[in-house]
Amino acid sequence: MESKRQQKFAGVIQEELASIFQREGAAYLPNTLVTITKVRVSPDLAVAKVYLSFLNTTNTALSVNQINAHANEIRYKLGAKIRHQARVIPTLTFFVDDTNEYVQRMDQIFDKIAKERKEEE
């Protein structure tokens, strides 16, 4: 469970990363909209796991690898924005947020179960 401090710091990181990707996201992934869905910060605030959602891309794994290749550059830009709010700028690691896919898969399973029950009756 994250502490209030971690949650607050994660919120600051999420806001600032969102503005970075909004303004300069095309440099990393042209014609792709990147959304920061969640940020998890370690207890010492030194490591941040950033979960991303992509729109208008065919290969999300490739997109995440491309973003991770620019992680140091993104961290530098983040540091310039939050340098007065944080002592240590966290190391950023980016992951795909597959929550929407999971929800769709679960909906399909529930629909299938409901359909099978109707057929039994």
Side-chain angles (χ1 to χ4, degrees), residues 16-68:
E16 296 303 333
L17 283 176
S19 70
I20 289 170
F21 278 107
Q22 185 177 11
R23 279 187 277 108
E24 303 167 21
Y28 310 121
L29 294 171
N31 300 324
T32 302
L33 179 67
V34 180
T35 306
I36 289 89
T37 56
K38 188 181 345 174
V39 177
R40 298 267 186 225
V41 182
S42 65
D44 64 351
L45 308 179
V47 177
K49 293 180 180 180
V50 181
Y51 293 89
L52 305 173
S53 176
F54 298 97
L55 193 66
N56 200 18
T57 186
T58 54
N59 190 348
T60 56
L62 181 66
S63 299
V64 166
N65 288 340
Q66 210 164 355
I67 294 291
N68 274 319

Short mmCIF file of all heavy atoms in Angstrom, two decimals, residues 16-68:
data_model
loop_
_atom_site.label_atom_id
_atom_site.label_comp_id
_atom_site.label_asym_id
_atom_site.label_seq_id
_atom_site.Cartn_x
_atom_site.Cartn_y
_atom_site.Cartn_z
N GLU A 16 3.10 16.17 -14.68
CA GLU A 16 4.21 16.75 -15.45
C GLU A 16 4.55 15.88 -16.67
O GLU A 16 4.84 16.42 -17.74
CB GLU A 16 5.43 16.94 -14.56
CG GLU A 16 5.22 17.93 -13.43
CD GLU A 16 4.80 19.32 -13.89
OE1 GLU A 16 5.12 19.72 -15.02
OE2 GLU A 16 4.13 20.01 -13.10
N LEU A 17 4.51 14.56 -16.51
CA LEU A 17 4.77 13.69 -17.66
C LEU A 17 3.68 13.85 -18.72
O LEU A 17 3.97 13.82 -19.92
CB LEU A 17 4.87 12.23 -17.23
CG LEU A 17 6.17 11.81 -16.56
CD1 LEU A 17 6.08 10.36 -16.11
CD2 LEU A 17 7.36 12.01 -17.48
N ALA A 18 2.44 14.03 -18.28
CA ALA A 18 1.35 14.24 -19.22
C ALA A 18 1.59 15.49 -20.06
O ALA A 18 1.38 15.47 -21.28
CB ALA A 18 0.02 14.33 -18.48
N SER A 19 2.06 16.55 -19.41
CA SER A 19 2.32 17.78 -20.18
C SER A 19 3.51 17.60 -21.12
O SER A 19 3.50 18.12 -22.24
CB SER A 19 2.53 18.96 -19.24
OG SER A 19 3.74 18.85 -18.55
N ILE A 20 4.50 16.83 -20.69
CA ILE A 20 5.66 16.56 -21.56
C ILE A 20 5.22 15.77 -22.79
O ILE A 20 5.58 16.11 -23.92
CB ILE A 20 6.77 15.80 -20.79
CG1 ILE A 20 7.42 16.73 -19.76
CG2 ILE A 20 7.81 15.24 -21.76
CD1 ILE A 20 8.36 16.03 -18.79
N PHE A 21 4.43 14.72 -22.58
CA PHE A 21 3.98 13.91 -23.71
C PHE A 21 3.01 14.66 -24.60
O PHE A 21 2.95 14.43 -25.81
CB PHE A 21 3.36 12.59 -23.23
CG PHE A 21 4.37 11.53 -22.92
CD1 PHE A 21 4.65 11.18 -21.61
CD2 PHE A 21 5.05 10.89 -23.94
CE1 PHE A 21 5.58 10.21 -21.32
CE2 PHE A 21 6.00 9.92 -23.66
CZ PHE A 21 6.26 9.58 -22.34
N GLN A 22 2.24 15.57 -24.02
CA GLN A 22 1.30 16.34 -24.82
C GLN A 22 2.04 17.28 -25.76
O GLN A 22 1.69 17.41 -26.93
CB GLN A 22 0.38 17.14 -23.90
CG GLN A 22 -0.71 17.88 -24.64
CD GLN A 22 -1.64 18.61 -23.69
OE1 GLN A 22 -1.37 18.73 -22.49
NE2 GLN A 22 -2.74 19.11 -24.21
N ARG A 23 3.07 17.93 -25.25
CA ARG A 23 3.81 18.89 -26.07
C ARG A 23 4.84 18.24 -26.97
O ARG A 23 5.04 18.68 -28.10
CB ARG A 23 4.49 19.93 -25.17
CG ARG A 23 3.55 21.03 -24.72
CD ARG A 23 4.25 22.14 -23.98
NE ARG A 23 4.42 21.78 -22.57
CZ ARG A 23 5.57 21.45 -22.00
NH1 ARG A 23 6.68 21.48 -22.69
NH2 ARG A 23 5.63 21.11 -20.74
N GLU A 24 5.54 17.23 -26.45
CA GLU A 24 6.68 16.68 -27.18
C GLU A 24 6.55 15.20 -27.50
O GLU A 24 7.52 14.57 -27.90
CB GLU A 24 7.95 16.91 -26.35
CG GLU A 24 8.17 18.37 -26.02
CD GLU A 24 9.23 18.57 -24.96
OE1 GLU A 24 10.05 17.65 -24.74
OE2 GLU A 24 9.24 19.63 -24.33
N GLY A 25 5.37 14.65 -27.35
CA GLY A 25 5.16 13.22 -27.59
C GLY A 25 5.38 12.81 -29.03
O GLY A 25 5.78 11.69 -29.31
N ALA A 26 5.13 13.73 -29.95
CA ALA A 26 5.30 13.42 -31.37
C ALA A 26 6.76 13.14 -31.72
O ALA A 26 7.04 12.43 -32.69
CB ALA A 26 4.77 14.55 -32.23
N ALA A 27 7.67 13.65 -30.93
CA ALA A 27 9.10 13.40 -31.20
C ALA A 27 9.45 11.95 -30.89
O ALA A 27 10.34 11.38 -31.53
CB ALA A 27 9.96 14.32 -30.34
N TYR A 28 8.76 11.35 -29.93
CA TYR A 28 9.04 9.96 -29.54
C TYR A 28 8.21 8.98 -30.37
O TYR A 28 8.73 7.97 -30.82
CB TYR A 28 8.76 9.74 -28.05
CG TYR A 28 9.40 10.77 -27.16
CD1 TYR A 28 8.65 11.56 -26.32
CD2 TYR A 28 10.78 10.96 -27.18
CE1 TYR A 28 9.24 12.52 -25.51
CE2 TYR A 28 11.38 11.92 -26.39
CZ TYR A 28 10.60 12.69 -25.55
OH TYR A 28 11.19 13.65 -24.77
N LEU A 29 6.94 9.28 -30.53
CA LEU A 29 6.03 8.42 -31.29
C LEU A 29 5.15 9.29 -32.20
O LEU A 29 4.14 9.83 -31.75
CB LEU A 29 5.13 7.61 -30.36
CG LEU A 29 5.81 6.58 -29.48
CD1 LEU A 29 4.84 6.02 -28.45
CD2 LEU A 29 6.37 5.45 -30.32
N PRO A 30 5.52 9.43 -33.46
CA PRO A 30 4.71 10.26 -34.36
C PRO A 30 3.33 9.64 -34.58
O PRO A 30 3.19 8.43 -34.66
CB PRO A 30 5.51 10.29 -35.65
CG PRO A 30 6.76 9.54 -35.41
CD PRO A 30 6.69 8.89 -34.08
N ASN A 31 2.32 10.48 -34.67
CA ASN A 31 0.93 10.07 -34.94
C ASN A 31 0.35 9.11 -33.90
O ASN A 31 -0.51 8.31 -34.20
CB ASN A 31 0.81 9.44 -36.34
CG ASN A 31 1.23 10.38 -37.43
OD1 ASN A 31 0.98 11.57 -37.35
ND2 ASN A 31 1.88 9.86 -38.44
N THR A 32 0.86 9.19 -32.68
CA THR A 32 0.35 8.33 -31.60
C THR A 32 0.06 9.19 -30.39
O THR A 32 0.86 10.03 -30.00
CB THR A 32 1.40 7.25 -31.23
OG1 THR A 32 1.70 6.48 -32.39
CG2 THR A 32 0.87 6.33 -30.16
N LEU A 33 -1.09 8.96 -29.79
CA LEU A 33 -1.47 9.67 -28.58
C LEU A 33 -1.09 8.80 -27.38
O LEU A 33 -1.50 7.64 -27.29
CB LEU A 33 -2.98 9.95 -28.56
CG LEU A 33 -3.50 10.66 -27.33
CD1 LEU A 33 -2.95 12.08 -27.27
CD2 LEU A 33 -5.01 10.70 -27.33
N VAL A 34 -0.32 9.35 -26.48
CA VAL A 34 0.14 8.63 -25.30
C VAL A 34 -0.56 9.21 -24.08
O VAL A 34 -0.58 10.42 -23.88
CB VAL A 34 1.68 8.76 -25.12
CG1 VAL A 34 2.14 8.00 -23.90
CG2 VAL A 34 2.40 8.27 -26.36
N THR A 35 -1.13 8.33 -23.26
CA THR A 35 -1.81 8.73 -22.04
C THR A 35 -1.13 8.07 -20.85
O THR A 35 -0.88 6.86 -20.89
CB THR A 35 -3.29 8.30 -22.07
OG1 THR A 35 -3.89 8.80 -23.25
CG2 THR A 35 -4.03 8.81 -20.86
N ILE A 36 -0.81 8.84 -19.83
CA ILE A 36 -0.25 8.28 -18.60
C ILE A 36 -1.44 7.90 -17.72
O ILE A 36 -2.16 8.75 -17.25
CB ILE A 36 0.68 9.29 -17.88
CG1 ILE A 36 1.97 9.49 -18.65
CG2 ILE A 36 1.06 8.76 -16.51
CD1 ILE A 36 1.94 10.54 -19.64
N THR A 37 -1.63 6.59 -17.54
CA THR A 37 -2.80 6.14 -16.79
C THR A 37 -2.53 6.00 -15.30
O THR A 37 -3.42 6.22 -14.49
CB THR A 37 -3.30 4.78 -17.32
OG1 THR A 37 -2.24 3.84 -17.27
CG2 THR A 37 -3.81 4.93 -18.74
N LYS A 38 -1.28 5.65 -14.95
CA LYS A 38 -0.98 5.42 -13.55
C LYS A 38 0.53 5.57 -13.33
O LYS A 38 1.32 5.26 -14.20
CB LYS A 38 -1.39 3.98 -13.19
CG LYS A 38 -1.33 3.64 -11.76
CD LYS A 38 -1.72 2.17 -11.45
CE LYS A 38 -2.43 1.47 -12.56
NZ LYS A 38 -2.68 0.06 -12.31
N VAL A 39 0.89 6.06 -12.16
CA VAL A 39 2.30 6.15 -11.77
C VAL A 39 2.43 5.54 -10.38
O VAL A 39 1.69 5.89 -9.47
CB VAL A 39 2.81 7.61 -11.75
CG1 VAL A 39 4.25 7.68 -11.26
CG2 VAL A 39 2.69 8.24 -13.13
N ARG A 40 3.35 4.63 -10.23
CA ARG A 40 3.65 4.01 -8.93
C ARG A 40 5.08 4.40 -8.55
O ARG A 40 6.00 4.27 -9.36
CB ARG A 40 3.57 2.48 -9.01
CG ARG A 40 2.21 1.96 -9.36
CD ARG A 40 1.47 1.66 -8.10
NE ARG A 40 0.22 1.01 -8.44
CZ ARG A 40 -0.93 1.31 -7.90
NH1 ARG A 40 -0.99 2.25 -6.99
NH2 ARG A 40 -2.02 0.69 -8.24
N VAL A 41 5.24 4.87 -7.33
CA VAL A 41 6.54 5.34 -6.86
C VAL A 41 7.00 4.45 -5.73
O VAL A 41 6.21 4.06 -4.87
CB VAL A 41 6.45 6.81 -6.40
CG1 VAL A 41 7.80 7.33 -5.96
CG2 VAL A 41 5.90 7.69 -7.49
N SER A 42 8.30 4.15 -5.70
CA SER A 42 8.87 3.33 -4.63
C SER A 42 8.85 4.13 -3.32
O SER A 42 8.77 5.36 -3.34
CB SER A 42 10.30 2.93 -4.99
OG SER A 42 11.13 4.07 -5.06
N PRO A 43 8.95 3.45 -2.17
CA PRO A 43 8.90 4.15 -0.89
C PRO A 43 9.98 5.23 -0.71
O PRO A 43 9.75 6.23 -0.04
CB PRO A 43 9.08 3.04 0.13
CG PRO A 43 8.56 1.82 -0.55
CD PRO A 43 8.91 2.00 -2.00
N ASP A 44 11.15 5.04 -1.34
CA ASP A 44 12.20 6.05 -1.22
C ASP A 44 12.11 7.13 -2.31
O ASP A 44 12.97 8.00 -2.40
CB ASP A 44 13.58 5.38 -1.23
CG ASP A 44 13.89 4.67 -2.53
OD1 ASP A 44 12.98 4.54 -3.37
OD2 ASP A 44 15.04 4.23 -2.69
N LEU A 45 11.08 7.06 -3.14
CA LEU A 45 10.80 8.01 -4.22
C LEU A 45 11.89 8.06 -5.28
O LEU A 45 11.99 9.02 -6.04
CB LEU A 45 10.55 9.43 -3.67
CG LEU A 45 9.52 9.58 -2.57
CD1 LEU A 45 9.43 11.05 -2.15
CD2 LEU A 45 8.17 9.06 -2.98
N ALA A 46 12.69 7.01 -5.37
CA ALA A 46 13.80 7.00 -6.32
C ALA A 46 13.45 6.29 -7.64
O ALA A 46 14.15 6.47 -8.63
CB ALA A 46 15.02 6.32 -5.71
N VAL A 47 12.38 5.48 -7.64
CA VAL A 47 12.00 4.74 -8.84
C VAL A 47 10.51 4.96 -9.09
O VAL A 47 9.70 4.85 -8.17
CB VAL A 47 12.27 3.23 -8.67
CG1 VAL A 47 11.81 2.45 -9.89
CG2 VAL A 47 13.74 2.97 -8.41
N ALA A 48 10.18 5.28 -10.33
CA ALA A 48 8.77 5.47 -10.71
C ALA A 48 8.44 4.53 -11.86
O ALA A 48 9.14 4.51 -12.88
CB ALA A 48 8.51 6.90 -11.10
N LYS A 49 7.37 3.76 -11.68
CA LYS A 49 6.85 2.92 -12.75
C LYS A 49 5.68 3.67 -13.37
O LYS A 49 4.71 3.99 -12.69
CB LYS A 49 6.37 1.58 -12.20
CG LYS A 49 7.47 0.72 -11.66
CD LYS A 49 6.92 -0.59 -11.14
CE LYS A 49 8.04 -1.45 -10.60
NZ LYS A 49 7.54 -2.74 -10.08
N VAL A 50 5.79 3.94 -14.65
CA VAL A 50 4.79 4.74 -15.35
C VAL A 50 4.05 3.82 -16.32
O VAL A 50 4.67 3.17 -17.16
CB VAL A 50 5.45 5.90 -16.12
CG1 VAL A 50 4.41 6.75 -16.82
CG2 VAL A 50 6.31 6.74 -15.19
N TYR A 51 2.73 3.78 -16.18
CA TYR A 51 1.90 2.94 -17.03
C TYR A 51 1.26 3.81 -18.11
O TYR A 51 0.65 4.84 -17.81
CB TYR A 51 0.83 2.23 -16.19
CG TYR A 51 1.45 1.23 -15.25
CD1 TYR A 51 1.85 1.61 -13.98
CD2 TYR A 51 1.69 -0.08 -15.65
CE1 TYR A 51 2.45 0.71 -13.11
CE2 TYR A 51 2.29 -0.99 -14.79
CZ TYR A 51 2.66 -0.58 -13.52
OH TYR A 51 3.27 -1.48 -12.68
N LEU A 52 1.43 3.38 -19.35
CA LEU A 52 1.00 4.16 -20.51
C LEU A 52 -0.10 3.45 -21.29
O LEU A 52 -0.11 2.22 -21.37
CB LEU A 52 2.18 4.40 -21.46
CG LEU A 52 3.43 5.04 -20.89
CD1 LEU A 52 4.54 5.03 -21.93
CD2 LEU A 52 3.14 6.45 -20.44
N SER A 53 -0.96 4.24 -21.87
CA SER A 53 -1.98 3.74 -22.78
C SER A 53 -1.77 4.45 -24.11
O SER A 53 -1.50 5.64 -24.15
CB SER A 53 -3.36 4.05 -22.21
OG SER A 53 -4.36 3.66 -23.12
N PHE A 54 -1.89 3.69 -25.20
CA PHE A 54 -1.61 4.25 -26.53
C PHE A 54 -2.86 4.24 -27.39
O PHE A 54 -3.65 3.31 -27.35
CB PHE A 54 -0.53 3.42 -27.25
CG PHE A 54 0.78 3.41 -26.53
CD1 PHE A 54 1.12 2.37 -25.69
CD2 PHE A 54 1.68 4.45 -26.68
CE1 PHE A 54 2.33 2.35 -25.01
CE2 PHE A 54 2.89 4.44 -26.01
CZ PHE A 54 3.21 3.39 -25.18
N LEU A 55 -3.01 5.29 -28.17
CA LEU A 55 -4.10 5.39 -29.12
C LEU A 55 -3.49 5.61 -30.49
O LEU A 55 -2.53 6.39 -30.63
CB LEU A 55 -5.00 6.58 -28.75
CG LEU A 55 -6.34 6.64 -29.46
CD1 LEU A 55 -7.21 5.46 -29.04
CD2 LEU A 55 -7.04 7.93 -29.09
N ASN A 56 -4.01 4.91 -31.49
CA ASN A 56 -3.55 5.03 -32.86
C ASN A 56 -2.18 4.38 -33.06
O ASN A 56 -1.32 4.91 -33.75
CB ASN A 56 -3.52 6.50 -33.30
CG ASN A 56 -3.51 6.64 -34.79
OD1 ASN A 56 -3.85 5.71 -35.51
ND2 ASN A 56 -3.13 7.81 -35.27
N THR A 57 -1.99 3.22 -32.45
CA THR A 57 -0.78 2.45 -32.66
C THR A 57 -1.15 0.98 -32.84
O THR A 57 -2.15 0.52 -32.28
CB THR A 57 0.24 2.62 -31.52
OG1 THR A 57 1.45 1.95 -31.86
CG2 THR A 57 -0.27 2.05 -30.22
N THR A 58 -0.36 0.27 -33.62
CA THR A 58 -0.66 -1.15 -33.85
C THR A 58 0.12 -2.05 -32.92
O THR A 58 -0.38 -3.09 -32.50
CB THR A 58 -0.34 -1.53 -35.31
OG1 THR A 58 1.02 -1.17 -35.59
CG2 THR A 58 -1.27 -0.82 -36.26
N ASN A 59 1.34 -1.67 -32.57
CA ASN A 59 2.19 -2.51 -31.73
C ASN A 59 2.55 -1.75 -30.45
O ASN A 59 3.46 -0.91 -30.45
CB ASN A 59 3.45 -2.90 -32.52
CG ASN A 59 4.26 -3.95 -31.82
OD1 ASN A 59 4.03 -4.27 -30.65
ND2 ASN A 59 5.22 -4.51 -32.54
N THR A 60 1.86 -2.06 -29.37
CA THR A 60 2.10 -1.33 -28.12
C THR A 60 3.45 -1.69 -27.50
O THR A 60 4.08 -0.85 -26.89
CB THR A 60 0.98 -1.61 -27.10
OG1 THR A 60 0.87 -3.01 -26.88
CG2 THR A 60 -0.35 -1.05 -27.57
N ALA A 61 3.88 -2.93 -27.67
CA ALA A 61 5.18 -3.34 -27.11
C ALA A 61 6.31 -2.54 -27.75
O ALA A 61 7.23 -2.09 -27.06
CB ALA A 61 5.39 -4.83 -27.31
N LEU A 62 6.24 -2.37 -29.04
CA LEU A 62 7.25 -1.58 -29.74
C LEU A 62 7.21 -0.12 -29.30
O LEU A 62 8.25 0.51 -29.10
CB LEU A 62 7.03 -1.67 -31.26
CG LEU A 62 8.02 -0.92 -32.14
CD1 LEU A 62 9.40 -1.53 -32.02
CD2 LEU A 62 7.56 -0.94 -33.58
N SER A 63 6.01 0.40 -29.10
CA SER A 63 5.86 1.78 -28.65
C SER A 63 6.47 1.98 -27.27
O SER A 63 7.15 2.98 -27.02
CB SER A 63 4.38 2.17 -28.61
OG SER A 63 3.82 2.09 -29.89
N VAL A 64 6.24 1.04 -26.35
CA VAL A 64 6.81 1.15 -25.01
C VAL A 64 8.33 1.04 -25.07
O VAL A 64 9.03 1.78 -24.37
CB VAL A 64 6.22 0.06 -24.08
CG1 VAL A 64 7.04 -0.07 -22.81
CG2 VAL A 64 4.80 0.40 -23.73
N ASN A 65 8.84 0.17 -25.90
CA ASN A 65 10.30 0.06 -26.04
C ASN A 65 10.90 1.35 -26.57
O ASN A 65 11.97 1.77 -26.14
CB ASN A 65 10.66 -1.10 -26.96
CG ASN A 65 10.41 -2.45 -26.31
OD1 ASN A 65 10.32 -2.56 -25.09
ND2 ASN A 65 10.26 -3.48 -27.12
N GLN A 66 10.19 1.99 -27.47
CA GLN A 66 10.68 3.26 -28.02
C GLN A 66 10.68 4.34 -26.94
O GLN A 66 11.62 5.14 -26.85
CB GLN A 66 9.80 3.67 -29.20
CG GLN A 66 10.50 4.46 -30.23
CD GLN A 66 9.71 4.51 -31.53
OE1 GLN A 66 8.67 3.87 -31.68
NE2 GLN A 66 10.20 5.28 -32.46
N ILE A 67 9.63 4.38 -26.12
CA ILE A 67 9.57 5.35 -25.03
C ILE A 67 10.66 5.06 -24.01
O ILE A 67 11.34 5.97 -23.51
CB ILE A 67 8.18 5.32 -24.35
CG1 ILE A 67 7.10 5.80 -25.31
CG2 ILE A 67 8.17 6.16 -23.09
CD1 ILE A 67 7.13 7.25 -25.67
N ASN A 68 10.87 3.79 -23.68
CA ASN A 68 11.93 3.41 -22.73
C ASN A 68 13.31 3.78 -23.26
O ASN A 68 14.22 4.07 -22.47
CB ASN A 68 11.86 1.92 -22.38
CG ASN A 68 10.91 1.64 -21.25
OD1 ASN A 68 10.86 2.38 -20.27
ND2 ASN A 68 10.14 0.58 -21.38
#
